[in-house]
Amino acid sequence: MKTVIIGGVAGGASTATRLRRMDEKAEIIILERGDFISFANCGLPYHIGGVIQEREKLLVISPEKLKNTFNIEARVKHEALSIDTKKKTVNVRDLSNGREYTESYDKLVLSPGATPIIPPIPGVDLPGVFTLRSIPDMDRINDFVTEKQATRAVVIGGGFIGLEIAENLQDRGVQVTIIEMLDQVMAPIDYEMAAMVHQHLDFKHVRLALSDGLKAIDADSPLNVTLQSGRVVGTDMVILSVGVRPETSLAKDAGLELGLRGTIVVNDHLQTSDKDIYAIGDAVQIKNIISGKEVNLPLAGPASKQARIVADNIAGRDMAFKGVQGTSIVKVFDLTVASTGLNSKQLADLGLPFKDVIIHASNHAGYYPGASPMAFKLLFSPEGKIYGAQLVGVEGVDKRVDVIATAIRAGMTVYDLEELELAYAPPYGSARDAVNIIGFLAGNVLRGDLETIDWNMVDKMDREKNVFLDVRDPEELAIGMIDGALNIPLGELRQRLNEIPHSKRVVVYCQVGQRGYFATRILKQNGFDVVNLNGGFKTYSHVTCKQSNFDTFENVSISSREEIHEIPPFNADNANEFTVDACGLQCPGPILKLYNKVKEVNPGDLITVKATDFGFSSDVEAWADRTGNKLLSVDSANGVITAKIVKGAEKKEEKGSVAMTQDKTMVIFSGDLDKAIAAFIIANGAASMGHKVTMFFTFWGLNILRKDNAPKVKKTLIEKMFGFMMPRGADKLTLSQMHMLGMGTAMIKGIMKKKNVASLPELIKSAMDNGVVIEACQMSMDLMGIQKEELLDGIKTVGVATFIHASDESNATIFI
């Protein structure tokens, strides 16, 4: 049996060596157009960056070793020109001398791979414009950076190769700009997960332009890259990394059946439409095991497995390839980004109903040094079938994505994740692994114990029907909060339930989701309609901040954050220095530890904080800006964030802006019916928009709050006379004008009823249900002889100072 394999690398070379192990007598020939029969193409960016220093380590096997070890004839620089399926021959050209010849076969294996997509635009053929797919490509980029002493590079495309080459060029001191046509990098993951990558790229001083494409490259300065938006980027070199196209011209010319994107159609034995020709790797169309749809997945792992199956089938075994699920992982500076299965967009396009949950969990026990958080998203069907997962973190990401990938392949459900027994010791995991925790959360959703909403629903929610409840501690609010949210720390929630309106749906959130879940359980069991924000404020803040930093870094040398934010140098005279070790703490732990240390030190003192939560890099900047402290620097090394903060710098504010809350305060002086109705309509309206409202009743306004049938209380004669002359409660109030001996008041009440406008007692109850704080002036009560027992239940009696404090915290005070 003679087998000819067209193409080397992972697919072709693996087929050949497996076939030799299965059949010692087979004649095996590999035809490879390039200079190398097999090389580690996934390692190419890392040699450019100097991580893999020895070029030879990328060369997996040589033709000589294949011959000596496996008795396989590997011919490099031999290009297959055409296939004659009837004669079962391949026309070949020896590129070293131009000689053409014909090679016969019994079985033929096509492993042609894919070629980089070169967009049809002006300038892509200029010197200094590269693709990265082979060893010669890598050598050309290396030589150019060294010989031209390149300091600027533009990478077109924010996929795997684009991000890897960006990191490695940056490590060589080259300032990198990434241009991505989509609104996110890393298409296999969802937007909220990619947002964390965007922020990390900003932290690493990589310039990023999203939702913009390449228009032209001009030979100027030395190169100018013009984008679809019209913006121009000056650069020394350009790396085109916009994707790959399956190389199937041989198959097409041979009359083999082609499928989507021109890929080669194969059956589950990986045979083409010609039973003696097999095809594998980047060029074939294969089935996705989750969707059941045909896909093209150019990854080395599936290609290697297909090679083994093809070899076994040629050797006489009956082996089937069951399909792919799309498991991938990439290093982006300090982060690891991984995914398996289908993402939200793919599920939506397929019309598959799904749910998702997000957690932020440590890679190992928090008390063991070096713990760092992982963002972990799980997608699943309403029945619990696992559709996919995505993770972003520093360490432990690879372990968890592999567990989920295995669970998908085994047909497991989210309920199975709850029961998985995974290896645990403090340096490696937790007694409840992140995989277990996300299984618990998904199970809670499916069992009805918890309802969640995603980040993209927040701004769409009607504030008249929903109220946002922030259950974080006050110290955490400096890093940001959802506009108009009511803040009640989790520890105070049970004692302050009366401040939360029963008439609205309560949207609870904390920093990462756990306390929000605890709060939802409390509220649900107290009769509230409640949902939890999926992934907490941490996920929401990542997504809603600016994703592209292109304009921020325009015309700026990105060597340090100080140049961008104009941070003045630290004056060490008479200042003490302190260190805060927050490594291993989950958000908001590092911020809270910094907050407590700042309280202890003096203005001008320097605090160095070390943390392993990469969300801290953005949190600390927001915290320092809002609290009036000075962030000197923030950097990372070996997975540890180091921030330097000086206490006591003036808070930086934008010109013409004033930081204000959305709180409202009202002084109710009048006891007239029309004014009372207006006051409570305004209060209910403000509360429905999520604003905290405080109503302060004084003098005649106190009559609005009196009970219709007050209990008997001991009063002086003067107090009794006041009480007799004043209206007792909302039902007894009269109009300020057109009262007409009660006719006008009766008429307005009748019109309100006819027009379905709530009565004043109903408006008062609604305000109290909506969390409006109603206060009665104790001084006015004393003067008018009104005692607390005469007021409606739930009314606070306070002094003027209490109201003034509320007024100071508000952005408007209304006097009625």
Side-chain angles (χ1 to χ4, degrees), residues 33-330:
R33 180 172 52 190
D35 296 331
F36 305 95
I37 200 67
S38 185
F39 61 91
N41 52 2
C42 295
L44 301 180
Y46 298 102
H47 179 62
I48 293 173
V51 178
I52 301 172
Q53 295 186 359
E54 298 177 28
R55 179 176 178 274
E56 289 69 26
K57 287 187 176 181
L58 297 174
L59 307 178
V60 178
I61 196 167
S62 65
E64 293 76 20
K65 189 171 183 179
L66 276 174
K67 183 65 176 178
N68 295 334
T69 305
F70 296 99
N71 192 25
I72 294 170
E73 185 177 351
R75 304 172 187 171
V76 295
K77 295 185 179 180
H78 279 64
E79 180 180 13
L81 302 176
S82 62
I83 302 168
D84 189 327
T85 57
K86 292 182 179 179
K87 294 180 180 180
K88 299 180 71 170
T89 59
V90 180
N91 187 32
V92 185
R93 176 184 292 140
D94 185 343
L95 298 176
S96 61
N97 54 30
R99 181 179 70 91
E100 293 189 12
Y101 63 94
T102 298
E103 193 70 55
S104 64
Y105 66 84
D106 296 309
K107 300 293 181 183
L108 180 66
V109 180
L110 301 180
S111 179
T115 57
I117 296 174
I118 309 296
I121 62 168
V124 292
D125 55 348
L126 287 170
V129 180
F130 305 93
T131 60
L132 181 59
R133 186 70 181 175
S134 65
I135 294 283
D137 290 341
M138 177 191 74
D139 292 339
R140 283 191 288 269
I141 293 172
N142 251 335
D143 293 344
F144 186 89
V145 173
T146 301
E147 293 171 7
K148 303 294 184 181
Q149 296 184 336
T151 60
R152 301 170 300 168
V154 171
V155 176
I156 309 297
F160 293 92
I161 299 299
L163 292 176
E164 288 174 343
I165 191 63
E167 174 185 346
N168 283 280
L169 285 174
Q170 189 96 330
D171 286 346
R172 285 189 65 171
V174 178
Q175 178 184 310
V176 178
T177 300
I178 298 175
I179 309 298
E180 172 54 57
M181 186 175 293
L182 299 177
D183 62 355
Q184 67 169 81
V185 299
M186 291 290 295
I189 64 175
D190 288 329
Y191 186 79
E192 65 267 33
M193 305 298 281
M196 289 180 274
V197 182
H198 300 163
Q199 291 187 31
H200 190 60
L201 290 172
D202 174 75
F203 176 64
K204 287 296 183 179
H205 318 308
V206 173
R207 191 178 181 191
L208 175 64
L210 297 171
S211 301
D212 209 347
L214 178 63
K215 185 177 181 180
I217 304 172
D218 300 316
D220 186 24
S221 180
L223 295 174
N224 273 339
V225 177
T226 302
L227 307 183
Q228 296 289 345
S229 64
R231 295 183 291 190
V232 178
V233 186
T235 187
D236 300 316
M237 59 189 301
V238 175
I239 310 292
L240 299 175
S241 181
V242 296
V244 295
R245 180 181 292 110
E247 178 56 76
T248 57
S249 56
L250 264 180
K252 180 181 179 181
D253 293 343
L256 302 181
E257 182 183 355
L258 301 183
L260 74 156
R261 296 183 62 216
T263 51
I264 305 169
V265 173
V266 294
N267 61 18
D268 60 357
H269 287 70
L270 298 170
Q271 290 171 301
T272 68
S273 53
D274 185 315
K275 64 180 179 63
D276 290 323
I277 301 178
Y278 296 79
I280 59 175
D282 297 353
V284 302
Q285 171 183 291
I286 44 182
K287 183 177 71 175
N288 183 287
I289 63 171
I290 304 170
S291 68
K293 304 292 184 180
E294 299 296 328
V295 298
N296 174 235
L297 189 70
L299 293 176
S304 179
K305 297 173 183 64
Q306 292 162 15
R308 183 182 180 90
I309 289 171
V310 164
D312 284 359
N313 284 322
I314 292 174
R317 294 188 176 184
D318 184 8
M319 302 292 288
F321 183 69
K322 296 179 181 178
V324 296
Q325 63 199 70
T327 303
S328 59
I329 192 166
V330 63

Side-chain angles (χ1 to χ4, degrees), residues 771-788:
V772 173
V773 178
I774 299 179
E775 299 176 341
C777 176
Q778 185 66 59
M779 180 199 69
S780 298
M781 289 172 61
D782 293 340
L783 290 175
M784 301 176 69
I786 297 176
Q787 299 187 21
K788 185 173 183 179

